[in-house]
């Protein structure tokens, strides 16, 4: 994740996106690479109490945090779609690596739904295609431990 004051849709990154597009180099959004990773404090002298201390392996906070990778990749893809990175660089390829895949259909549906309700209210948020079309064109996904999601 980029710094909050320099989102991926900032033109600051356009030379990077252009180089990746030109060289046909897919870019990876790999699991557990989000900015806000908790529990990095490895100070053994601190009490491992989840109420006031670091996140404990297998504890409640750790388990709640297991949804963060999917949330972060969804935020990043939303940034690429609604920030018009995929419009400026239509051949840019993003790979969601090991973030599983079952969430993608709902992400596409929800993006289209919210865009249909609110996305065309302002000129600067109008897109050339529906959000799901950018996912189909520009995004690939891999998974690691996912069971079938069509049951």
């Amino acid at each position: 994740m980029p710094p909050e004051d320099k989102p991926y849709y900032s033109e600051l990154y356009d030379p990077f996106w252009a180089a990746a597009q030109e060289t046909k180099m897919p870019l990876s959004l790999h699991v557990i690479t989000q900015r806000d990773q908790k529990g990095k404090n490895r100070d053994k002298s601190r009490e491992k109490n989840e109420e006031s201390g670091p996140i404990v392996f297998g504890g409640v906070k750790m388990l709640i945090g297991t949804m963060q990778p999917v949330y972060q990749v969804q935020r990043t893809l939303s940034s690429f779609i609604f920030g018009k990175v995929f419009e400026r660089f239509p051949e840019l390829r993003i790979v969601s690596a090991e973030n599983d895949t079952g969430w993608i259909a709902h992400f596409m549906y929800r993006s289209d739904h919210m865009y249909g309700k609110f996305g065309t209210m302002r000129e600067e948020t109008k897109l050339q295609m529906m959000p799901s079309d950018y996912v189909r064109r520009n995004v690939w996904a891999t998974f690691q431990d996912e069971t079938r999601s069509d049951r």
Side-chain angles (χ1 to χ4, degrees):
M1 296 282 306
E4 287 184 29
D5 63 334
K6 295 179 179 93
Y8 281 144
Y9 57 84
S10 166
E11 292 180 2
L12 169 75
Y13 299 101
D14 282 2
F16 182 69
W17 309 140
Q21 177 176 264
E22 182 180 326
T23 59
K24 300 183 183 341
M25 175 66 67
L27 302 176
S28 174
L29 301 174
H30 194 269
V31 69
I32 310 177
T33 54
Q34 69 270 16
R35 176 181 349 113
D36 187 24
Q37 293 189 38
K38 305 291 186 198
K40 287 191 173 185
N41 186 340
R42 302 291 183 229
D43 183 355
K44 302 288 185 198
S45 66
R46 292 183 63 180
E47 181 184 356
K48 296 206 181 310
N49 175 341
E50 285 211 302
E51 293 300 316
S52 60
I55 293 175
V56 179
F57 186 74
V60 173
K61 286 183 183 178
M62 182 223 145
L63 293 171
I64 292 169
T66 60
M67 293 306 295
Q68 285 300 308
V70 171
Y71 168 72
Q72 295 292 346
V73 77
Q74 289 175 347
R75 278 186 59 113
T76 300
L77 291 176
S78 293
S79 171
F80 277 84
I81 294 166
F82 297 115
K84 301 185 180 182
V85 174
F86 290 144
E87 285 190 5
R88 295 193 308 273
F89 303 96
E91 295 179 35
L92 182 64
R93 301 297 181 250
I94 301 295
V95 178
S96 172
E98 297 184 13
N99 288 298
D100 297 327
T101 59
W103 57 269
I104 295 174
H106 182 261
F107 172 78
M108 292 167 65
Y109 158 76
R110 188 77 179 154
S111 297
D112 284 355
H113 177 72
M114 296 313 291
Y115 176 72
K117 286 184 105 168
F118 305 111
T120 59
M121 291 180 159
R122 301 176 66 153
E123 195 59 39
E124 67 265 19
T125 58
K126 289 182 181 176
L127 300 173
Q128 295 173 5
M129 303 187 310
M130 291 299 288
S132 61
D133 292 328
Y134 293 102
V135 175
R136 287 183 191 92
R137 185 185 73 190
N138 297 87
V139 179
W140 278 255
T142 70
F143 61 92
Q144 188 171 306
D145 297 318
E146 188 162 301
T147 59
R148 284 180 46 189
S149 60
D150 63 345
R151 292 183 187 178

